Structure formats: structure tokens, C-alpha cells
Amino acid sequence: MPKYSNLQVIQSALKAGSTSCEKLVDYYLARIEKQQALNIYIETFAEEARTRARALDQKYREAPSSVGPLFGMVVSIKDVLCYKDHKLSAASKMLHNFTASFSATAIERILAADAIIIGRTNCDEFAMGSANESSYYGPTRNAIDPTRVPGGSSGGSAVSVQADTCLAALGSDTGGSVRQPASFCGLVGMKPSYGRISRYGLLAYASSFDQIGIIANSVADTAILLEIMAGADEFDSTVSAEAVPAYSQHLSFPGKAKIAYFGEAMQHEGLDPEIKKQSFDFIEALRGAGHQVAAVDFEYLAYLVPSYYVLTMAEASSNLSRYDGVRYGHRTATATSLEEHYRKSRTEGFGEKVKRRIMLGTFVLSVGYYDAYFKKAQKARRLIQDRILQVLADYDFIIMPVTPSVAWKIGEKQGNPVEIYLSDIYTVLANLTGLPAIAFPLGKNKNGMPFGIQLMSAKFTEKNLLSFANTITQNLR
Ligand code: GLN
């Protein structure tokens, strides 16, 4: 069976009778089996996916017009999304045997649209990381070069699509966790505006940053998934009631765009010269196509990563306090007092990187340091937001690299957390500001490793963002 690269091709094949949901699921399950060494899935839902596929085939045979818009779409879900009666671990020992008692709103919506969920994918523990190396279940490997990381924290999500084990993946993006692995694996990755998709049933890392995101082969598949998942939800008070456009019906951008780039970002000393060159070439190509692209000053670049990490660690220290060995997850077997029970359960259940963040987060919130770190980072966040809003008052889009480098070797940066944190320089801006951002493949370096470029736009302008990304990826590359 050929590889199907997008939903439209699959739905045509389903209509022509040249494939069925059952055949698709069998194909993907065989791909998963063959690529066990990449460690993409923590668990596959093989039998359940087969049963559902047969039921959908039957539904289609009986009444072709009764099937939902995601008919034929086989999806993987990152192991931070609640799926009722299925295990959910956040790739942590802490939740090793935990079972979700309800489904995330996003999950319910894709199921109602007739998607098939094939399994839950590996990720960094509690979605904290940039390389998928901190999972309790071991690292996921990049399918292009298995000695390299796939990016993170949604590394399993990215490789699940890259290795053709499903058509699209749901991940979460708190500081780049969808866009960065998409870039490292040569895929499209989108983080919608904060409040576009309900976070109900998304395991919390840093609640004022977290968003569910999408990894796919194409902008069109990203658009249809967003369209299905977005919109008001009574279970999440931070989700927007703003109407959800039919993104999938608006994939061609009318006219010419005004685009800004930051000289500071493009000239940054940490940016790989090959990525820099191809990014500038792409800017020239945009100009050649009649779009206006201008350099704009952005004086806060150096503050992005520090503000992001101070704030997310603070929020994480609070969110993760719920894992106390009483209500959820791992419970120590050896405590003799209540105090010891909490301490040992948490010490045994969390991995080293998560513990580091909880401790730093607790530190920046503590009396005496709150003003110096947490409050200052909040102020920086506001200044950054105001500046970006100013830029987006004059421009339709901001264009930036996704990552300063291509995927690194597994283990290469272990023991150097600060270097890894700094590699988030281009992705955290969209999360600090709550703006939508989409990453798509730009090129490959001399070793054949892919990298992407990203666009950001004003809040809730996903329609423009998707249509422009689709138009330029089809016409310029
Ligand atoms: N690399 C970032 C971090 O470790 C992003 C994580 C994410 O988006 N979930 O916090």
C-alpha cells in the first residue's frame, strides 16, 4: 500500500473503494511493529483501533454521507491527553499505572468527527524537555537518523507521523513542544492561540502557556484538525468563545502579506549558518513573490528564555504539587509517617529533570525571591507582549527560525540543561504572548537533517496563518 500523505488522498481512496479504514489501520499497525526500535509509542490501541475501523467502514457502506469530516484519519495522541478508560502516564513513573477517568474535550471532538486513535506516544516526562530524552520509557529516536533526538517534548508525536505510523498527531506546546519536534523531523507543527482549543483533559505543565497542538504532513490536515478541536467549552474557563472559522475551506491566502522579521533573531550568534542562509533565501523568495518583508527591532530577544523558564517552572511547581502519593500515581511502600510518605512518593516518582524544575519553581515563588524572579519575569512577559502587539499592528506575520540547530545526537547535551533551555529561543515567544504559530519544513542541512521556519500572527487569526502557510508552502517550495 502506498504511503498516504494527507486526508484528502485517503478520503478519495476510501470513496473509490481502493482502501478501507480497516486496511489503513492494519497498514499503520504493521509500520509500528516494524519500527519498534524508534520507541514511538508507549502503548498502541491495536484491537480497539481495528474494531473502530470496521465499524466506520460499515457506517460508510450503509450511508456514505453519515461519516464525519475526519473519516479515514488515523491519529496518535501524546501521553498527556486524557482518553477515558485508557492509561495516561505523562511518560513518568509517577503515573505509570494511572487510568484516565474522562476524555479531553479535544479527544472527544476528534472521535465525534470519526477519527481513529491508534495509540499514545512517548514524550518528555510531564512535557518538560526539548529532546524526548527524559521519558521514563526511554528516548524516542528520529526516524531520519536514529542516533539523533526527534526533539521534544512531543517527540513521539512527531516521529509517529514522520515514520508513517499514523496520519497526524496531537501534542502539546507550552514552549515549542510541537513546533520544535516538527522542525527536527521535517513536518508541519502548529500551536494555536492560547484559548483556541480547550485544555480540559490536557495534563497541566504551565497553565498560562499550555496549548494542544497538531503535527501533520500538511497544512491542510492541520487546518481540519484545528477546526474540529477549537472552540468554546464549558469545562475550560480560559477557552475563547470566538467563532471558529472553517479553516480547511480557506487555504489560499488572498493578496500580498506584510511580514516582519527580527534582525536580532536572524543574526543571533547561536543560529546555525545553514539555517540562517536558507531562512534569508526564503525571505528573498517571499519578496520575489510580491510580499513585503522588513526587518524590525526586537530588543527583548535575550529575555525570552529566562522569562519563559522562570514562569513555567513556577507554574509547574504548583501544578505538580497534586502528585502527592495520596490522590494520584506512585505511592511509596516504605514510609512510616505522613511527611515521609509525601517526600518518598515524590522522590521516587519524579525523574531528575522534573524535580529540578519543581525545586527551581518553588524557589522563584518563595518569600524573598518572588519579587526578584517571579514578579520580574511577569513584568518582562508583559513588555514582550506589548512589543509584539505593536509589531502585529503593522504587520500580518512575524517570520522566524524554529530552532537554532538541527536535531542533536542522543545524549550529546545531557548534563547541560542550560544549553538545552537556550535552544528554545525562537519557540517560546508564541507561548509567552499567547499567539498562534505554525512551523513548516524549510530545508535540510548537509547531513540531510531537516529544519523548519515559523510564522506567528495576531491572536485568533489562525485562518490567515494557515492560508498563508499553505499558499507559500505550495508555491514557494
Ligand atoms: N522545551 C520547552 C520546555 O522544556 C518546551 C516544553 C513544551 O512545550 N511542553 O519547557
Side-chain angles (χ1 to χ4, degrees), residues 30 38 81 132 169 179 211 287 315 330 392 440 446 474:
L38 297 174
L81 285 158
N132 213 127
R179 290 161 288 147
Q211 263 296 289
R287 288 192 176 122
E315 291 190 25
H330 178 75
L392 288 173
F440 50 86
K446 57 180 182 305
Q474 302 213 323

Side-chain angles (χ1 to χ4, degrees), residues 379-424:
K379 287 180 181 167
R381 186 180 197 182
R382 172 49 65 88
L383 285 173
I384 292 161
Q385 283 170 344
D386 289 351
R387 177 70 188 118
I388 294 297
L389 286 186
Q390 257 174 15
V391 174
L392 288 173
D394 294 333
Y395 293 88
D396 301 307
F397 305 107
I398 295 170
I399 193 162
M400 267 210 295
V402 188
T403 55
S405 74
V406 297
W408 53 85
K409 295 266 185 191
I410 293 175
E412 188 184 329
K413 298 196 182 191
Q414 292 280 33
N416 198 344
V418 174
E419 192 185 335
I420 296 183
Y421 297 165
L422 286 171
S423 73
D424 292 335

Side-chain angles (χ1 to χ4, degrees), residues 35 38-41 121 132 140-144 149-151 154-166 169 181 185 187 215:
Q35 301 176 98
L38 297 174
N39 200 19
I40 306 169
Y41 289 84
T121 49
N132 213 127
T140 298
R141 296 170 178 276
N142 194 313
I144 295 178
V149 303
S154 315
S157 310
V159 185
S160 73
V161 179
Q162 182 196 36
D164 196 22
T165 70
C166 58
C185 293
L187 300 163
I215 297 180

Side-chain angles (χ1 to χ4, degrees), residues 328-453:
Y328 308 94
H330 178 75
R331 178 174 294 183
T332 184
T334 59
T336 52
S337 69
L338 182 63
E339 157 86 32
E340 199 186 9
H341 174 92
Y342 291 143
R343 188 159 31 82
K344 282 198 165 165
S345 296
R346 288 169 68 77
T347 304
E348 294 163 7
F350 289 129
E352 179 209 339
K353 295 189 172 86
V354 171
K355 281 183 215 162
R356 180 187 298 131
R357 294 194 190 202
I358 293 173
M359 286 190 279
L360 283 169
T362 308
F363 173 77
V364 301
L365 287 172
S366 61
V367 180
Y369 295 100
Y370 182 89
D371 284 349
Y373 294 105
F374 185 72
K375 211 162 157 190
K376 199 176 231 164
Q378 292 277 47
K379 287 180 181 167
R381 186 180 197 182
R382 172 49 65 88
L383 285 173
I384 292 161
Q385 283 170 344
D386 289 351
R387 177 70 188 118
I388 294 297
L389 286 186
Q390 257 174 15
V391 174
L392 288 173
D394 294 333
Y395 293 88
D396 301 307
F397 305 107
I398 295 170
I399 193 162
M400 267 210 295
V402 188
T403 55
S405 74
V406 297
W408 53 85
K409 295 266 185 191
I410 293 175
E412 188 184 329
K413 298 196 182 191
Q414 292 280 33
N416 198 344
V418 174
E419 192 185 335
I420 296 183
Y421 297 165
L422 286 171
S423 73
D424 292 335
I425 179 163
Y426 301 124
T427 47
V428 297
L429 178 61
N431 308 79
L432 280 160
T433 52
L435 300 177
I438 187 163
F440 50 86
L442 180 63
K444 289 188 173 140
N445 76 354
K446 57 180 182 305
N447 298 323
M449 293 312 294
F451 54 87
I453 192 151

Side-chain angles (χ1 to χ4, degrees), residues 145-204:
D145 174 355
T147 66
R148 291 180 187 270
V149 303
S153 62
S154 315
S157 310
V159 185
S160 73
V161 179
Q162 182 196 36
D164 196 22
T165 70
C166 58
L167 188 64
L170 301 190
S172 64
D173 191 313
T174 302
S177 276
V178 155
R179 290 161 288 147
Q180 185 255 25
S183 183
F184 277 7
C185 293
L187 300 163
V188 174
M190 183 187 201
K191 180 202 88 80
S193 307
Y194 184 79
R196 186 68 295 191
I197 299 178
S198 168
R199 288 180 297 114
Y200 180 69
L202 167 66
L203 205 133

